[in-house]
Amino acid sequence: MLKAAELAFQNLRSKPTRNLLLATIVALAVATALTLFVLADSIKEGLRAGSDERGADLTISQRDAADLLSGYVPIDLEPRLAIIPGVAAVSGELVMFAPVDKLQSIVVGWTSNAYFWRQLPLSAGRLPKEADDHPAILGSGIAESLKKRVGSNIEIFGESFNVIGLAGYSSAMNRSMIILRVQDLENLSMRRGQVTAFHLALRRNQSPTDVTQIKEKIQAMGKLTVSPTDQLLANDRNYRFLQAVSRAISMIAFIMGSLSVFSTLLMAVTERRREIGILMALGWSDISIRATI
C-alpha cells in the first residue's frame, strides 16, 4: 500500500493544472451549498434572537399573508388581546423597509401601550413624549452607519425626524432598527389602523395547555396566525422559497462537483491503461490499483 500511495502522489504531481482545477470546482460547490444554508439559518436565527431580546413569547400575524411584512392586523385588537387570561403584556408593531437618508433600513412603529417601550434599553437619550414632534430612536448599529447621535435629524420618505434616543440592544436585527411612534409611521406608510403584528409576553408558569388555549382564543378573533418566537418564519413564503432555492442550488453544485470528480477519474483510468496493465501483470491487487487512482 505504501508503493500505491507513492504512485498516487506521483500521479497528482504529473497533472497539477487538472488537479488544481478539480479541487477548485469541488471547493466552490461545497462553499456554495454551505453559504446558502447558513444564509437561511442566519435569517431565522436573527429574527428569533431579536424577538427573544424584546421579551416576546408569541407573535400574531395575518393568516395566509405571503410574508410577515405584507400582512396586516387591525390595531384595535390590542385591548382585546390584553385581557386574555395568561397574557402579561401586548405590543403592536408596524414594520416596513424605508429609505433613511438614502440608506435602506428597517423602520418600526410601536403603539403607545406597547410594553416594548418599557423594556427598551436606552444607551443614550430618552423615550418619546406625547408633545414630541416626529421623535425617533435608533439602534446602535444603524446610528453608527448613518453617523447619527442624540439631537441629529434623519429623513424618512421626505419627513424629518429628530433622534431623541439610542437603543442599546445586542441582537443584530434590533441594532439595525429605527423606532418611531406607530401614528407617525402610519402617516408615512398609508396604513392607518393597522399593524404588521402583535407580540405577546405571557405570564410565568404557563403550561402547554394554557398556551394552546390562548392561541385558540386569539385565532377565534379572525384570520390570525399565532406563532412562538422560534417559529416566526414557519409560514413565511419568502423564507420557504429561499430554503427551496438553497436546496436546489446546493443539489446542482453537488452534482457538478460529483461529475467533475467522475470525469477526472475516468480520464485518469483511460490515460493509464498501459500502466494499469503492467501493475496487474506484476501481481498488484485491484484494491492497490484503485488506491493509486
Side-chain angles (χ1 to χ4, degrees):
M1 290 301 293
L2 182 60
K3 292 181 178 180
E6 292 175 354
L7 188 56
F9 283 118
Q10 289 177 7
N11 289 327
L12 286 173
R13 289 194 296 268
S14 67
K15 304 287 184 181
T17 304
R18 179 202 296 171
N19 294 323
L20 179 60
L21 181 60
L22 174 62
T24 302
I25 292 173
V26 173
L28 287 175
V30 173
T32 299
L34 289 177
T35 299
L36 289 171
F37 281 118
V38 168
L39 174 62
D41 286 343
S42 64
I43 293 173
K44 182 177 181 180
E45 178 60 25
L47 188 58
R48 184 202 61 78
S51 297
D52 285 349
E53 186 178 25
R54 291 185 290 169
D57 297 309
L58 298 175
T59 296
I60 303 167
S61 56
Q62 180 187 352
R63 187 191 308 164
D64 301 328
D67 54 65
L68 287 173
L69 297 185
S70 64
Y72 69 90
V73 182
I75 199 170
D76 56 14
L77 279 181
E78 187 172 50
R80 295 173 60 189
L81 295 171
I83 62 175
I84 294 176
V87 174
V90 181
S91 282
E93 182 177 58
L94 180 60
V95 187
M96 64 181 297
F97 286 95
V100 181
D101 288 357
K102 300 181 180 180
L103 180 66
Q104 198 73 8
S105 306
I106 304 173
V107 182
V108 303
W110 291 346
T111 55
S112 57
N113 296 323
Y115 73 92
F116 284 168
W117 291 116
R118 300 192 299 271
Q119 298 184 3
L120 181 62
L122 286 173
S123 59
R126 59 174 178 83
L127 295 177
K129 298 178 181 178
E130 188 174 351
D132 289 333
D133 182 31
H134 289 74
I137 295 178
L138 308 186
S140 57
I142 190 66
E144 183 177 347
S145 298
L146 295 173
K147 296 180 172 55
K148 301 293 184 180
R149 58 184 181 180
V150 175
S152 301
N153 290 319
I154 58 174
E155 186 174 292
I156 306 175
F157 286 132
E159 291 283 345
S160 180
F161 286 80
N162 180 35
V163 178
I164 63 168
L166 301 179
Y169 286 120
S170 59
S171 67
M173 184 187 76
N174 292 338
R175 283 167 49 86
S176 302
M177 291 192 315
I178 296 175
I179 305 168
L180 310 178
R181 296 179 303 194
V182 72
Q183 59 266 32
D184 293 331
L185 189 54
E186 280 180 332
N187 293 333
L188 291 177
S189 62
M190 304 300 292
R191 293 182 63 173
R192 298 182 184 277
Q194 301 174 5
V195 292
T196 305
F198 282 105
H199 303 277
L200 305 185
L202 302 182
R203 299 187 186 279
R204 294 185 178 181
N205 302 321
Q206 295 292 306
S207 67
T209 302
D210 295 333
V211 175
T212 300
Q213 291 176 350
I214 292 172
K215 290 182 180 180
E216 291 174 350
K217 291 178 180 179
I218 294 171
Q219 289 169 348
M221 294 180 182
K223 295 182 178 180
L224 304 174
T225 295
V226 186
S227 305
T229 54
D230 58 350
Q231 299 177 18
L232 285 178
L233 294 177
N235 299 313
D236 191 292
R237 296 177 188 174
N238 289 337
Y239 181 72
R240 292 204 301 268
F241 177 75
L242 175 60
Q243 286 185 311
V245 170
S246 298
R247 287 192 292 267
I249 295 179
S250 299
M251 183 61 67
I252 293 171
F254 173 77
I255 292 173
M256 291 179 62
S258 300
L259 289 176
S260 298
V261 173
F262 175 77
S263 175
T264 301
L265 290 175
L266 185 61
M267 291 175 64
V269 173
T270 302
E271 293 172 350
R272 295 170 56 198
R273 284 184 177 177
R274 181 174 297 181
E275 178 185 327
I276 293 172
I278 293 173
L279 294 176
M280 293 177 67
L282 291 175
W284 279 48
S285 66
D286 290 349
I287 294 177
S288 298
I289 293 174
R290 290 194 188 101
T292 66
I293 298 173

